[in-house]
Amino acid sequence: MKAILETRDLVKYYGKGDNLVKAIDHTDLIIEPGEFTAIVGRSGSGKSTLLHMLGGLDRPDSGKVLIEGRKIGFIFQSYNLVPSLNVWENIVLPIGLDGKKVDTEYVMDIICRIGMEDKLKSLPNTLSGGQQQRVAIARALASRPAIILADEPTGNLDSKTELEVISMLKSCVSEYGQTLVMITHDETIAQMADRMIVIEDGKVVRA
Ligand code: ADP
């Protein structure tokens, strides 16, 4: 199958001389459409640097990131909801910023799937961490991106909530045929993916 996301000989170094850090050191990756890939590795192994370059949030020193289709959705560890907007407004915000019309039926389907249909008018600070992350997931799904990049999405949640949120995310991306790339240092979470890529010192050691 054709790759939806690919890196070719990707390099990102920080610092110089004795302080040189090879955050991403000649990395090649292929992500196929519809795949749920977990990128795992210890803290400092280069996961965030890689994800930021995949999402165009940071530029590599050399090498290429090839993206099929332009739309990317992001899910961050800190939910990044707008505190003054309610659940519904947060979820549809990116669609509005894109100048697009909200497909109410589709967005409501997502909201029911994440179990937040009774909380549409609630403000983020009245929700639990797990609920806030569900809203952030719905927001990422709502604009129908081809690829969703998730940066330790359950890093702030307890382990029970964590499993619930990841299961829900997994069933959503599978239902809507989306491609999910998630970074995590947690092997249990990574086991839930279709595929695991292990990164060490900026290099892919298992793919
Ligand atoms: P991970 O997400 O796996 O914890 P990172 O991608 O954040 O790893 O970091 C990889 C390496 O690059 C680490 O050694 C980190 O200290 C270094 N690094 C990351 N960002 C910067 C930066 N802006 N300046 C200098 N060094 C950085």
Side-chain angles (χ1 to χ4, degrees):
M1 207 185 262
K2 202 169 179 301
I4 193 163
L5 186 59
E6 188 173 350
T7 69
R8 292 202 190 139
D9 203 23
L10 203 64
V11 174
K12 179 76 176 180
Y13 293 170
Y14 293 109
K16 282 200 168 75
D18 285 350
N19 296 322
L20 182 70
V21 177
K22 297 182 174 181
I24 292 297
D25 197 13
H26 301 279
T27 296
D28 297 295
L29 279 185
I30 290 182
I31 308 285
E32 289 184 355
E35 215 177 33
F36 169 14
T37 302
I39 300 177
V40 289
R42 274 192 295 263
S43 176
S45 57
K47 304 183 295 296
S48 308
T49 305
L50 178 60
L51 201 79
H52 290 163
M53 287 190 293
L54 292 178
L57 301 176
D58 201 356
R59 287 171 67 88
D61 296 338
S62 63
K64 277 194 177 137
V65 177
L66 306 162
I67 299 170
E68 183 63 40
R70 273 170 296 159
K71 266 211 169 152
I72 296 186
F74 290 95
I75 302 169
F76 300 97
Q77 183 172 345
S78 51
Y79 323 113
N80 292 350
L81 301 177
V82 179
S84 57
L85 299 181
N86 68 30
V87 165
W88 171 263
E89 291 163 341
N90 263 287
I91 292 173
V92 299
L93 179 66
I95 304 174
L97 293 176
D98 243 9
K100 301 254 161 62
K101 202 169 167 293
V102 176
D103 179 345
T104 309
E105 202 178 319
Y106 181 72
V107 176
M108 272 316 294
D109 186 61
I110 296 170
I111 292 172
C112 293
R113 216 169 268 281
I114 62 158
M116 294 293 288
E117 64 275 26
D118 298 335
K119 299 273 184 193
L120 293 179
K121 296 245 158 69
S122 303
L123 289 173
N125 66 3
T126 65
L127 304 175
S128 70
Q131 289 173 325
Q132 289 185 54
Q133 193 57 301
R134 284 164 190 262
V135 175
I137 288 169
R139 179 183 56 188
L141 292 166
S143 51
R144 303 181 194 255
I147 304 166
I148 294 180
L149 300 179
D151 188 350
E152 300 266 1
T154 54
N156 289 330
L157 304 176
D158 63 79
S159 49
K160 182 170 166 280
T161 312
E162 181 172 41
L163 289 178
E164 281 169 14
V165 170
I166 300 292
S167 308
M168 193 216 73
L169 178 58
K170 186 177 170 173
S171 72
C172 284
V173 294
S174 134
E175 176 68 26
Y176 301 120
Q178 281 154 331
T179 305
L180 171 64
V181 180
M182 182 180 77
I183 64 174
T184 180
H185 61 272
D186 185 333
E187 287 269 345
T188 321
I189 295 298
Q191 299 291 350
M192 295 170 75
D194 302 323
R195 179 172 163 226
M196 203 194 296
I197 293 174
V198 182
I199 175 166
E200 249 177 56
D201 298 329
K203 285 188 158 58
V204 172
V205 293
R206 187 148 57 89

